[in-house]
Amino acid sequence: MSEVIIVGAGPAGLAAALALRAHGLRPRILESRARASDITGSRALFVHHDSLALLETISPGLGQAIAATGIRWARRETRYAGRVVYSRAENHTPLGDGLPSYTSLGQSGTGELLVDACTRNGMDVEWSTTVHKVASSDDRVTLTTDSWTAHADFVIGADGARSRVRESLGIELQGPRISCYHIVADVLGGKRDCRTLHYSCPEVNGRTAMYVPFAGGYQIDIQCHDQADAARLADTRSWVPPDDVTRLAWVSNYRFIRAVASSFIDAHRRVLLVGEAAHLFPPFGARGMNSAFADAVAAATAIALASSVKSTAAITRYENERRTAALINADTAYHAYRHLHPSRSMRATQWGAAQASLLAPGAGRWLEHSAYGPRVRTGGRY
Ligand SMILES: Cc1cc2nc3c(=O)[nH]c(=O)nc-3n(C[C@H](O)[C@H](O)[C@H](O)COP(=O)(O)OP(=O)(O)OC[C@H]3O[C@@H](n4cnc5c(N)ncnc54)[C@H](O)[C@@H]3O)c2cc1C
């Protein structure tokens, strides 16, 4: 049986572990954090139906558990300068497979359910274990941690945006790059159950703002003009609804980047990059964590196939399929970015759409949907 080591116990690494287990392999999972709960803030909230269904296939009951722990919003509305231009009550009827169309849950909640599923499947995360170096050859991969060296047939690099695995292999992140600065914050408790997207929001001096309910609270996401603007806002609480200031639990001054690794595999086809180790997108359209799940399951399938038929063709296919998907995801997130950080001409178009929505509901719908980017599919949804 092939030995596989996963570096990183974020959503991508844990999903990869479960997918490998479903193929009869039992990987080691190395994680630099001391415990699962060492993650702050809600971060990726939106788990799409396709991800719930995918997780259900690799660990029966997991998709259902994540769906049941998260919430569905009561409504979604889009506002322009205070006025509602689009509003829709959410349909909570499960889809044909019994899973909802999405669930909204803090990333730590999703992470804990993934860790529990790994434990139930006989895989304990090795916490407080930082991988410093990875070197591959034709027949194996060598990993170096703080205190020991290990060998594996295959390694999955799921170690996030500042991936040591990617860096060790000399794989670069490529642009075209954009950076966008946000204030992301959590308000815990309360009764907000409407997801609001607000263009030219008066409460934040005309910036775009999102208010996204999740199990236990809601997330505020303010799109800032630049780094200095984000730093200035982070020092005030002017952007928090006054009644909620005392329930503010987490504030992050965050820079989102668009970049895709030049390769998702090493030259010897023994190391596969997944999730943010392989690509960084602005979060619009919820493509970060959802595409990390798709990468993870595809990487595990490729390793299972490569181990059983002793050929690296499946690894090459992984690189082709998931890198192409990442490029599409990056483009889609970029379209959404152009709406949420509007140029002067985009601002004029949005103003026009907001006026038109008084007579033509399609214009309001356009303002709602543009924030998620075009509906493209990458083989699957992400
Ligand atoms: C503020 C914020 C808001 C976000 N909002 C959204 C959203 O709304 N929707 C969405 O889809 N995505 C969102 N994202 C992105 C989402 O969090 C990521 O896409 C997701 O976490 C990627 O998962 P991952 O497993 O690839 O990486 P990570 O979650 O970063 O996991 C990597 C893991 O590897 C570990 N690690 C790192 N280096 C090493 C090492 N050398 N050795 C061992 N372990 C290591 C880390 O400790 C970490 O646990 C958001 C992110 C942030 C920060």
Side-chain angles (χ1 to χ4, degrees), residues 7-12 30-33 43-45 107 129-131 158-160 164 184 250 254 256 275-276 283 286-290:
V7 185
L30 312 182
E31 166 58 51
S32 56
R33 279 179 290 137
R43 302 184 183 213
L45 302 178
Q107 192 173 318
T129 307
T130 299
V131 172
D159 51 340
R164 295 301 283 268
V184 186
W250 173 72
Y254 200 76
F256 289 108
E276 289 208 329
R287 288 180 180 267
M289 185 171 71
N290 286 293

PDB file of all heavy atoms in Angstrom, residues 7-12 30-33 43-45 107 129-131 158-160 164 184 250 254 256 275-276 283 286-290, ligand 1:
ATOM      1  N   VAL A   7       0.335  17.526   4.154  1.00  0.00           N
ATOM      2  CA  VAL A   7       0.864  18.652   4.933  1.00  0.00           C
ATOM      3  C   VAL A   7      -0.240  19.704   5.026  1.00  0.00           C
ATOM      4  O   VAL A   7      -0.629  20.292   4.016  1.00  0.00           O
ATOM      5  CB  VAL A   7       2.118  19.259   4.269  1.00  0.00           C
ATOM      6  CG1 VAL A   7       2.710  20.352   5.184  1.00  0.00           C
ATOM      7  CG2 VAL A   7       3.158  18.185   3.984  1.00  0.00           C
ATOM      8  N   GLY A   8      -0.763  19.902   6.257  1.00  0.00           N
ATOM      9  CA  GLY A   8      -1.810  20.910   6.459  1.00  0.00           C
ATOM     10  C   GLY A   8      -3.162  20.277   6.743  1.00  0.00           C
ATOM     11  O   GLY A   8      -3.624  19.428   5.980  1.00  0.00           O
ATOM     12  N   ALA A   9      -3.779  20.687   7.861  1.00  0.00           N
ATOM     13  CA  ALA A   9      -5.101  20.164   8.237  1.00  0.00           C
ATOM     14  C   ALA A   9      -6.153  21.266   8.162  1.00  0.00           C
ATOM     15  O   ALA A   9      -6.977  21.432   9.057  1.00  0.00           O
ATOM     16  CB  ALA A   9      -5.050  19.555   9.633  1.00  0.00           C
ATOM     17  N   GLY A  10      -6.103  22.057   7.071  1.00  0.00           N
ATOM     18  CA  GLY A  10      -7.197  22.979   6.758  1.00  0.00           C
ATOM     19  C   GLY A  10      -8.267  22.178   6.018  1.00  0.00           C
ATOM     20  O   GLY A  10      -8.174  20.942   5.903  1.00  0.00           O
ATOM     21  N   PRO A  11      -9.276  22.859   5.479  1.00  0.00           N
ATOM     22  CA  PRO A  11     -10.341  22.144   4.755  1.00  0.00           C
ATOM     23  C   PRO A  11      -9.793  21.248   3.633  1.00  0.00           C
ATOM     24  O   PRO A  11     -10.267  20.116   3.460  1.00  0.00           O
ATOM     25  CB  PRO A  11     -11.194  23.269   4.174  1.00  0.00           C
ATOM     26  CG  PRO A  11     -10.897  24.463   5.018  1.00  0.00           C
ATOM     27  CD  PRO A  11      -9.518  24.307   5.558  1.00  0.00           C
ATOM     28  N   ALA A  12      -8.775  21.731   2.897  1.00  0.00           N
ATOM     29  CA  ALA A  12      -8.260  20.943   1.763  1.00  0.00           C
ATOM     30  C   ALA A  12      -7.565  19.671   2.248  1.00  0.00           C
ATOM     31  O   ALA A  12      -7.820  18.569   1.728  1.00  0.00           O
ATOM     32  CB  ALA A  12      -7.286  21.799   0.943  1.00  0.00           C
ATOM     33  N   LEU A  30      -0.051  16.054   8.841  1.00  0.00           N
ATOM     34  CA  LEU A  30       0.839  16.869   9.667  1.00  0.00           C
ATOM     35  C   LEU A  30       0.334  18.308   9.672  1.00  0.00           C
ATOM     36  O   LEU A  30       0.056  18.874   8.611  1.00  0.00           O
ATOM     37  CB  LEU A  30       2.267  16.837   9.102  1.00  0.00           C
ATOM     38  CG  LEU A  30       2.834  15.450   8.754  1.00  0.00           C
ATOM     39  CD1 LEU A  30       4.274  15.593   8.250  1.00  0.00           C
ATOM     40  CD2 LEU A  30       2.772  14.510   9.952  1.00  0.00           C
ATOM     41  N   GLU A  31       0.235  18.898  10.858  1.00  0.00           N
ATOM     42  CA  GLU A  31      -0.342  20.246  10.964  1.00  0.00           C
ATOM     43  C   GLU A  31       0.462  21.081  11.960  1.00  0.00           C
ATOM     44  O   GLU A  31       0.731  20.630  13.061  1.00  0.00           O
ATOM     45  CB  GLU A  31      -1.809  20.138  11.404  1.00  0.00           C
ATOM     46  CG  GLU A  31      -2.452  21.421  11.868  1.00  0.00           C
ATOM     47  CD  GLU A  31      -2.450  22.561  10.850  1.00  0.00           C
ATOM     48  OE1 GLU A  31      -2.869  22.359   9.700  1.00  0.00           O
ATOM     49  OE2 GLU A  31      -2.005  23.684  11.228  1.00  0.00           O
ATOM     50  N   SER A  32       0.816  22.290  11.552  1.00  0.00           N
ATOM     51  CA  SER A  32       1.641  23.134  12.433  1.00  0.00           C
ATOM     52  C   SER A  32       0.856  23.731  13.603  1.00  0.00           C
ATOM     53  O   SER A  32       1.430  23.992  14.653  1.00  0.00           O
ATOM     54  CB  SER A  32       2.330  24.244  11.639  1.00  0.00           C
ATOM     55  OG  SER A  32       1.376  25.002  10.954  1.00  0.00           O
ATOM     56  N   ARG A  33      -0.463  23.928  13.455  1.00  0.00           N
ATOM     57  CA  ARG A  33      -1.234  24.452  14.595  1.00  0.00           C
ATOM     58  C   ARG A  33      -1.226  23.437  15.731  1.00  0.00           C
ATOM     59  O   ARG A  33      -1.064  22.232  15.506  1.00  0.00           O
ATOM     60  CB  ARG A  33      -2.691  24.694  14.186  1.00  0.00           C
ATOM     61  CG  ARG A  33      -2.910  25.997  13.462  1.00  0.00           C
ATOM     62  CD  ARG A  33      -4.373  26.155  13.074  1.00  0.00           C
ATOM     63  NE  ARG A  33      -4.772  25.245  12.033  1.00  0.00           N
ATOM     64  CZ  ARG A  33      -5.904  24.562  12.013  1.00  0.00           C
ATOM     65  NH1 ARG A  33      -6.773  24.670  12.997  1.00  0.00           N
ATOM     66  NH2 ARG A  33      -6.208  23.750  11.014  1.00  0.00           N
ATOM     67  N   ARG A  43     -14.242  33.405   8.508  1.00  0.00           N
ATOM     68  CA  ARG A  43     -13.601  33.133   7.200  1.00  0.00           C
ATOM     69  C   ARG A  43     -14.568  32.565   6.164  1.00  0.00           C
ATOM     70  O   ARG A  43     -15.578  33.167   5.892  1.00  0.00           O
ATOM     71  CB  ARG A  43     -12.402  32.212   7.388  1.00  0.00           C
ATOM     72  CG  ARG A  43     -11.406  32.833   8.330  1.00  0.00           C
ATOM     73  CD  ARG A  43     -10.187  31.989   8.441  1.00  0.00           C
ATOM     74  NE  ARG A  43      -9.287  32.586   9.400  1.00  0.00           N
ATOM     75  CZ  ARG A  43      -7.979  32.522   9.329  1.00  0.00           C
ATOM     76  NH1 ARG A  43      -7.405  31.850   8.368  1.00  0.00           N
ATOM     77  NH2 ARG A  43      -7.243  33.109  10.230  1.00  0.00           N
ATOM     78  N   ALA A  44     -14.260  31.379   5.597  1.00  0.00           N
ATOM     79  CA  ALA A  44     -15.103  30.831   4.522  1.00  0.00           C
ATOM     80  C   ALA A  44     -16.390  30.283   5.114  1.00  0.00           C
ATOM     81  O   ALA A  44     -16.363  29.320   5.879  1.00  0.00           O
ATOM     82  CB  ALA A  44     -14.353  29.734   3.784  1.00  0.00           C
ATOM     83  N   LEU A  45     -17.510  30.899   4.751  1.00  0.00           N
ATOM     84  CA  LEU A  45     -18.791  30.533   5.359  1.00  0.00           C
ATOM     85  C   LEU A  45     -19.614  29.608   4.482  1.00  0.00           C
ATOM     86  O   LEU A  45     -20.316  28.737   4.972  1.00  0.00           O
ATOM     87  CB  LEU A  45     -19.657  31.797   5.553  1.00  0.00           C
ATOM     88  CG  LEU A  45     -19.108  32.928   6.387  1.00  0.00           C
ATOM     89  CD1 LEU A  45     -20.104  34.081   6.399  1.00  0.00           C
ATOM     90  CD2 LEU A  45     -18.869  32.428   7.796  1.00  0.00           C
ATOM     91  N   GLN A 107     -15.864  28.772   9.331  1.00  0.00           N
ATOM     92  CA  GLN A 107     -14.899  27.778   8.827  1.00  0.00           C
ATOM     93  C   GLN A 107     -14.412  26.849   9.942  1.00  0.00           C
ATOM     94  O   GLN A 107     -14.137  25.676   9.707  1.00  0.00           O
ATOM     95  CB  GLN A 107     -13.708  28.487   8.175  1.00  0.00           C
ATOM     96  CG  GLN A 107     -12.827  27.538   7.398  1.00  0.00           C
ATOM     97  CD  GLN A 107     -11.747  28.265   6.610  1.00  0.00           C
ATOM     98  OE1 GLN A 107     -12.005  29.297   6.001  1.00  0.00           O
ATOM     99  NE2 GLN A 107     -10.544  27.735   6.615  1.00  0.00           N
ATOM    100  N   THR A 129       3.175  20.066  14.289  1.00  0.00           N
ATOM    101  CA  THR A 129       4.212  19.459  13.449  1.00  0.00           C
ATOM    102  C   THR A 129       4.358  20.310  12.185  1.00  0.00           C
ATOM    103  O   THR A 129       3.500  20.282  11.306  1.00  0.00           O
ATOM    104  CB  THR A 129       3.808  18.004  13.059  1.00  0.00           C
ATOM    105  OG1 THR A 129       3.503  17.300  14.249  1.00  0.00           O
ATOM    106  CG2 THR A 129       4.921  17.304  12.318  1.00  0.00           C
ATOM    107  N   THR A 130       5.440  21.067  12.139  1.00  0.00           N
ATOM    108  CA  THR A 130       5.645  21.966  11.001  1.00  0.00           C
ATOM    109  C   THR A 130       6.624  21.354  10.011  1.00  0.00           C
ATOM    110  O   THR A 130       7.730  20.952  10.392  1.00  0.00           O
ATOM    111  CB  THR A 130       6.188  23.326  11.499  1.00  0.00           C
ATOM    112  OG1 THR A 130       5.214  23.882  12.381  1.00  0.00           O
ATOM    113  CG2 THR A 130       6.430  24.289  10.346  1.00  0.00           C
ATOM    114  N   VAL A 131       6.200  21.272   8.766  1.00  0.00           N
ATOM    115  CA  VAL A 131       7.080  20.754   7.703  1.00  0.00           C
ATOM    116  C   VAL A 131       7.903  21.925   7.164  1.00  0.00           C
ATOM    117  O   VAL A 131       7.356  22.973   6.835  1.00  0.00           O
ATOM    118  CB  VAL A 131       6.240  20.110   6.584  1.00  0.00           C
ATOM    119  CG1 VAL A 131       7.105  19.755   5.385  1.00  0.00           C
ATOM    120  CG2 VAL A 131       5.521  18.877   7.116  1.00  0.00           C
ATOM    121  N   ALA A 158      -1.129  20.727   1.301  1.00  0.00           N
ATOM    122  CA  ALA A 158      -2.390  21.433   1.604  1.00  0.00           C
ATOM    123  C   ALA A 158      -2.099  22.480   2.666  1.00  0.00           C
ATOM    124  O   ALA A 158      -2.890  22.691   3.585  1.00  0.00           O
ATOM    125  CB  ALA A 158      -3.428  20.430   2.099  1.00  0.00           C
ATOM    126  N   ASP A 159      -0.931  23.132   2.534  1.00  0.00           N
ATOM    127  CA  ASP A 159      -0.458  24.000   3.615  1.00  0.00           C
ATOM    128  C   ASP A 159      -0.712  25.487   3.337  1.00  0.00           C
ATOM    129  O   ASP A 159       0.004  26.347   3.841  1.00  0.00           O
ATOM    130  CB  ASP A 159       1.015  23.722   3.951  1.00  0.00           C
ATOM    131  CG  ASP A 159       1.931  23.734   2.729  1.00  0.00           C
ATOM    132  OD1 ASP A 159       1.426  23.583   1.603  1.00  0.00           O
ATOM    133  OD2 ASP A 159       3.153  23.887   2.906  1.00  0.00           O
ATOM    134  N   GLY A 160      -1.733  25.763   2.564  1.00  0.00           N
ATOM    135  CA  GLY A 160      -2.263  27.123   2.497  1.00  0.00           C
ATOM    136  C   GLY A 160      -1.432  28.120   1.699  1.00  0.00           C
ATOM    137  O   GLY A 160      -0.479  27.779   0.995  1.00  0.00           O
ATOM    138  N   ARG A 164       4.950  25.988   2.304  1.00  0.00           N
ATOM    139  CA  ARG A 164       6.364  25.594   2.309  1.00  0.00           C
ATOM    140  C   ARG A 164       6.609  24.484   1.289  1.00  0.00           C
ATOM    141  O   ARG A 164       7.696  24.366   0.729  1.00  0.00           O
ATOM    142  CB  ARG A 164       6.784  25.090   3.701  1.00  0.00           C
ATOM    143  CG  ARG A 164       6.728  26.150   4.778  1.00  0.00           C
ATOM    144  CD  ARG A 164       7.628  27.331   4.453  1.00  0.00           C
ATOM    145  NE  ARG A 164       9.032  27.053   4.697  1.00  0.00           N
ATOM    146  CZ  ARG A 164       9.654  27.309   5.842  1.00  0.00           C
ATOM    147  NH1 ARG A 164       8.994  27.846   6.838  1.00  0.00           N
ATOM    148  NH2 ARG A 164      10.930  27.032   6.000  1.00  0.00           N
ATOM    149  N   VAL A 184     -12.863  42.320   7.350  1.00  0.00           N
ATOM    150  CA  VAL A 184     -13.793  41.217   7.569  1.00  0.00           C
ATOM    151  C   VAL A 184     -13.962  41.088   9.079  1.00  0.00           C
ATOM    152  O   VAL A 184     -12.969  41.082   9.817  1.00  0.00           O
ATOM    153  CB  VAL A 184     -13.257  39.894   6.988  1.00  0.00           C
ATOM    154  CG1 VAL A 184     -14.306  38.789   7.110  1.00  0.00           C
ATOM    155  CG2 VAL A 184     -12.869  40.062   5.528  1.00  0.00           C
ATOM    156  N   TRP A 250     -14.517  39.612  16.214  1.00  0.00           N
ATOM    157  CA  TRP A 250     -13.269  39.384  15.467  1.00  0.00           C
ATOM    158  C   TRP A 250     -13.198  40.407  14.347  1.00  0.00           C
ATOM    159  O   TRP A 250     -14.200  40.655  13.669  1.00  0.00           O
ATOM    160  CB  TRP A 250     -13.292  37.974  14.880  1.00  0.00           C
ATOM    161  CG  TRP A 250     -12.181  37.616  13.956  1.00  0.00           C
ATOM    162  CD1 TRP A 250     -10.870  37.390  14.303  1.00  0.00           C
ATOM    163  CD2 TRP A 250     -12.251  37.381  12.531  1.00  0.00           C
ATOM    164  NE1 TRP A 250     -10.136  37.042  13.189  1.00  0.00           N
ATOM    165  CE2 TRP A 250     -10.955  37.027  12.083  1.00  0.00           C
ATOM    166  CE3 TRP A 250     -13.280  37.445  11.594  1.00  0.00           C
ATOM    167  CZ2 TRP A 250     -10.679  36.743  10.758  1.00  0.00           C
ATOM    168  CZ3 TRP A 250     -12.996  37.155  10.269  1.00  0.00           C
ATOM    169  CH2 TRP A 250     -11.709  36.808   9.863  1.00  0.00           C
ATOM    170  N   TYR A 254      -7.836  42.420   5.877  1.00  0.00           N
ATOM    171  CA  TYR A 254      -7.398  41.292   5.063  1.00  0.00           C
ATOM    172  C   TYR A 254      -7.127  41.661   3.607  1.00  0.00           C
ATOM    173  O   TYR A 254      -7.875  42.416   3.004  1.00  0.00           O
ATOM    174  CB  TYR A 254      -8.460  40.181   5.126  1.00  0.00           C
ATOM    175  CG  TYR A 254      -7.888  38.858   4.730  1.00  0.00           C
ATOM    176  CD1 TYR A 254      -7.078  38.153   5.605  1.00  0.00           C
ATOM    177  CD2 TYR A 254      -8.102  38.339   3.467  1.00  0.00           C
ATOM    178  CE1 TYR A 254      -6.504  36.964   5.227  1.00  0.00           C
ATOM    179  CE2 TYR A 254      -7.535  37.152   3.086  1.00  0.00           C
ATOM    180  CZ  TYR A 254      -6.741  36.459   3.974  1.00  0.00           C
ATOM    181  OH  TYR A 254      -6.170  35.296   3.587  1.00  0.00           O
ATOM    182  N   PHE A 256      -6.890  40.145  -0.096  1.00  0.00           N
ATOM    183  CA  PHE A 256      -7.135  38.997  -0.966  1.00  0.00           C
ATOM    184  C   PHE A 256      -6.303  39.141  -2.231  1.00  0.00           C
ATOM    185  O   PHE A 256      -6.165  40.238  -2.768  1.00  0.00           O
ATOM    186  CB  PHE A 256      -8.609  38.896  -1.337  1.00  0.00           C
ATOM    187  CG  PHE A 256      -9.478  38.484  -0.177  1.00  0.00           C
ATOM    188  CD1 PHE A 256     -10.320  39.386   0.421  1.00  0.00           C
ATOM    189  CD2 PHE A 256      -9.426  37.196   0.310  1.00  0.00           C
ATOM    190  CE1 PHE A 256     -11.122  39.019   1.491  1.00  0.00           C
ATOM    191  CE2 PHE A 256     -10.223  36.813   1.384  1.00  0.00           C
ATOM    192  CZ  PHE A 256     -11.071  37.722   1.968  1.00  0.00           C
ATOM    193  N   GLY A 275      -5.912  23.256  -2.812  1.00  0.00           N
ATOM    194  CA  GLY A 275      -6.420  24.410  -2.057  1.00  0.00           C
ATOM    195  C   GLY A 275      -5.529  25.634  -2.236  1.00  0.00           C
ATOM    196  O   GLY A 275      -4.966  25.874  -3.307  1.00  0.00           O
ATOM    197  N   GLU A 276      -5.389  26.413  -1.157  1.00  0.00           N
ATOM    198  CA  GLU A 276      -4.666  27.686  -1.269  1.00  0.00           C
ATOM    199  C   GLU A 276      -3.167  27.499  -1.464  1.00  0.00           C
ATOM    200  O   GLU A 276      -2.478  28.456  -1.806  1.00  0.00           O
ATOM    201  CB  GLU A 276      -4.964  28.578  -0.055  1.00  0.00           C
ATOM    202  CG  GLU A 276      -6.391  29.100  -0.108  1.00  0.00           C
ATOM    203  CD  GLU A 276      -6.598  30.424   0.571  1.00  0.00           C
ATOM    204  OE1 GLU A 276      -5.897  30.711   1.552  1.00  0.00           O
ATOM    205  OE2 GLU A 276      -7.493  31.173   0.124  1.00  0.00           O
ATOM    206  N   PRO A 283     -12.521  36.142  -2.443  1.00  0.00           N
ATOM    207  CA  PRO A 283     -13.522  35.168  -1.978  1.00  0.00           C
ATOM    208  C   PRO A 283     -14.871  35.248  -2.680  1.00  0.00           C
ATOM    209  O   PRO A 283     -15.754  34.472  -2.386  1.00  0.00           O
ATOM    210  CB  PRO A 283     -13.685  35.544  -0.501  1.00  0.00           C
ATOM    211  CG  PRO A 283     -13.403  36.995  -0.463  1.00  0.00           C
ATOM    212  CD  PRO A 283     -12.364  37.261  -1.525  1.00  0.00           C
ATOM    213  N   ALA A 286     -17.449  32.457  -3.441  1.00  0.00           N
ATOM    214  CA  ALA A 286     -17.120  31.365  -2.509  1.00  0.00           C
ATOM    215  C   ALA A 286     -16.293  30.277  -3.178  1.00  0.00           C
ATOM    216  O   ALA A 286     -16.533  29.092  -2.991  1.00  0.00           O
ATOM    217  CB  ALA A 286     -18.399  30.787  -1.900  1.00  0.00           C
ATOM    218  N   ARG A 287     -15.307  30.690  -3.977  1.00  0.00           N
ATOM    219  CA  ARG A 287     -14.552  29.706  -4.745  1.00  0.00           C
ATOM    220  C   ARG A 287     -13.339  29.162  -3.984  1.00  0.00           C
ATOM    221  O   ARG A 287     -12.747  28.174  -4.396  1.00  0.00           O
ATOM    222  CB  ARG A 287     -14.114  30.303  -6.083  1.00  0.00           C
ATOM    223  CG  ARG A 287     -15.318  30.434  -6.963  1.00  0.00           C
ATOM    224  CD  ARG A 287     -15.110  31.005  -8.311  1.00  0.00           C
ATOM    225  NE  ARG A 287     -16.413  31.024  -8.940  1.00  0.00           N
ATOM    226  CZ  ARG A 287     -16.882  30.055  -9.720  1.00  0.00           C
ATOM    227  NH1 ARG A 287     -16.143  29.029 -10.037  1.00  0.00           N
ATOM    228  NH2 ARG A 287     -18.100  30.119 -10.215  1.00  0.00           N
ATOM    229  N   GLY A 288     -12.943  29.817  -2.875  1.00  0.00           N
ATOM    230  CA  GLY A 288     -11.744  29.375  -2.151  1.00  0.00           C
ATOM    231  C   GLY A 288     -11.910  27.986  -1.553  1.00  0.00           C
ATOM    232  O   GLY A 288     -11.342  27.002  -2.048  1.00  0.00           O
ATOM    233  N   MET A 289     -12.723  27.883  -0.510  1.00  0.00           N
ATOM    234  CA  MET A 289     -12.855  26.594   0.179  1.00  0.00           C
ATOM    235  C   MET A 289     -13.578  25.565  -0.686  1.00  0.00           C
ATOM    236  O   MET A 289     -13.216  24.385  -0.691  1.00  0.00           O
ATOM    237  CB  MET A 289     -13.592  26.784   1.501  1.00  0.00           C
ATOM    238  CG  MET A 289     -13.655  25.525   2.323  1.00  0.00           C
ATOM    239  SD  MET A 289     -14.293  25.832   3.974  1.00  0.00           S
ATOM    240  CE  MET A 289     -16.016  26.166   3.631  1.00  0.00           C
ATOM    241  N   ASN A 290     -14.590  26.003  -1.443  1.00  0.00           N
ATOM    242  CA  ASN A 290     -15.334  25.029  -2.253  1.00  0.00           C
ATOM    243  C   ASN A 290     -14.444  24.396  -3.315  1.00  0.00           C
ATOM    244  O   ASN A 290     -14.509  23.194  -3.567  1.00  0.00           O
ATOM    245  CB  ASN A 290     -16.561  25.695  -2.879  1.00  0.00           C
ATOM    246  CG  ASN A 290     -17.653  25.929  -1.846  1.00  0.00           C
ATOM    247  OD1 ASN A 290     -18.226  24.980  -1.329  1.00  0.00           O
ATOM    248  ND2 ASN A 290     -17.928  27.177  -1.515  1.00  0.00           N
TER     249      ASN A 290
HETATM  250  C1  LIG B   1     -11.011  36.452   6.251  1.00  0.00           C
HETATM  251  C2  LIG B   1     -11.216  35.332   5.270  1.00  0.00           C
HETATM  252  C3  LIG B   1     -12.456  35.185   4.676  1.00  0.00           C
HETATM  253  C4  LIG B   1     -12.632  34.166   3.740  1.00  0.00           C
HETATM  254  N1  LIG B   1     -13.876  34.019   3.196  1.00  0.00           N
HETATM  255  C5  LIG B   1     -14.084  33.011   2.335  1.00  0.00           C
HETATM  256  C6  LIG B   1     -15.399  32.767   1.810  1.00  0.00           C
HETATM  257  O1  LIG B   1     -16.348  33.479   2.123  1.00  0.00           O
HETATM  258  N2  LIG B   1     -15.582  31.700   0.975  1.00  0.00           N
HETATM  259  C7  LIG B   1     -14.533  30.886   0.613  1.00  0.00           C
HETATM  260  O2  LIG B   1     -14.748  29.914  -0.137  1.00  0.00           O
HETATM  261  N3  LIG B   1     -13.283  31.107   1.082  1.00  0.00           N
HETATM  262  C8  LIG B   1     -13.039  32.135   1.947  1.00  0.00           C
HETATM  263  N4  LIG B   1     -11.793  32.325   2.464  1.00  0.00           N
HETATM  264  C9  LIG B   1     -10.712  31.463   2.022  1.00  0.00           C
HETATM  265  C10 LIG B   1     -10.713  30.181   2.775  1.00  0.00           C
HETATM  266  O3  LIG B   1     -10.458  30.424   4.146  1.00  0.00           O
HETATM  267  C11 LIG B   1      -9.627  29.332   2.166  1.00  0.00           C
HETATM  268  O4  LIG B   1      -9.927  29.166   0.792  1.00  0.00           O
HETATM  269  C12 LIG B   1      -9.549  27.968   2.785  1.00  0.00           C
HETATM  270  O5  LIG B   1      -9.203  28.055   4.145  1.00  0.00           O
HETATM  271  C13 LIG B   1      -8.450  27.209   2.053  1.00  0.00           C
HETATM  272  O6  LIG B   1      -8.272  25.993   2.692  1.00  0.00           O
HETATM  273  P1  LIG B   1      -6.860  25.302   2.635  1.00  0.00           P
HETATM  274  O7  LIG B   1      -7.042  24.034   3.398  1.00  0.00           O
HETATM  275  O8  LIG B   1      -6.332  25.265   1.263  1.00  0.00           O
HETATM  276  O9  LIG B   1      -5.856  26.288   3.431  1.00  0.00           O
HETATM  277  P2  LIG B   1      -5.851  26.710   4.948  1.00  0.00           P
HETATM  278  O10 LIG B   1      -7.218  26.785   5.500  1.00  0.00           O
HETATM  279  O11 LIG B   1      -4.989  27.916   5.034  1.00  0.00           O
HETATM  280  O12 LIG B   1      -5.130  25.486   5.658  1.00  0.00           O
HETATM  281  C14 LIG B   1      -3.727  25.270   5.565  1.00  0.00           C
HETATM  282  C15 LIG B   1      -3.285  24.549   6.829  1.00  0.00           C
HETATM  283  O13 LIG B   1      -1.912  24.186   6.699  1.00  0.00           O
HETATM  284  C16 LIG B   1      -1.239  24.472   7.916  1.00  0.00           C
HETATM  285  N5  LIG B   1       0.171  24.697   7.595  1.00  0.00           N
HETATM  286  C17 LIG B   1       0.691  25.783   6.963  1.00  0.00           C
HETATM  287  N6  LIG B   1       2.018  25.618   6.792  1.00  0.00           N
HETATM  288  C18 LIG B   1       2.337  24.415   7.321  1.00  0.00           C
HETATM  289  C19 LIG B   1       3.553  23.684   7.436  1.00  0.00           C
HETATM  290  N7  LIG B   1       4.692  24.177   6.955  1.00  0.00           N
HETATM  291  N8  LIG B   1       3.544  22.479   8.049  1.00  0.00           N
HETATM  292  C20 LIG B   1       2.369  21.976   8.522  1.00  0.00           C
HETATM  293  N9  LIG B   1       1.176  22.615   8.442  1.00  0.00           N
HETATM  294  C21 LIG B   1       1.167  23.815   7.832  1.00  0.00           C
HETATM  295  C22 LIG B   1      -1.957  25.714   8.446  1.00  0.00           C
HETATM  296  O14 LIG B   1      -1.781  25.859   9.835  1.00  0.00           O
HETATM  297  C23 LIG B   1      -3.399  25.429   8.061  1.00  0.00           C
HETATM  298  O15 LIG B   1      -4.103  24.745   9.057  1.00  0.00           O
HETATM  299  C24 LIG B   1     -11.562  33.296   3.406  1.00  0.00           C
HETATM  300  C25 LIG B   1     -10.322  33.453   4.014  1.00  0.00           C
HETATM  301  C26 LIG B   1     -10.146  34.447   4.947  1.00  0.00           C
HETATM  302  C27 LIG B   1      -8.797  34.563   5.617  1.00  0.00           C
END
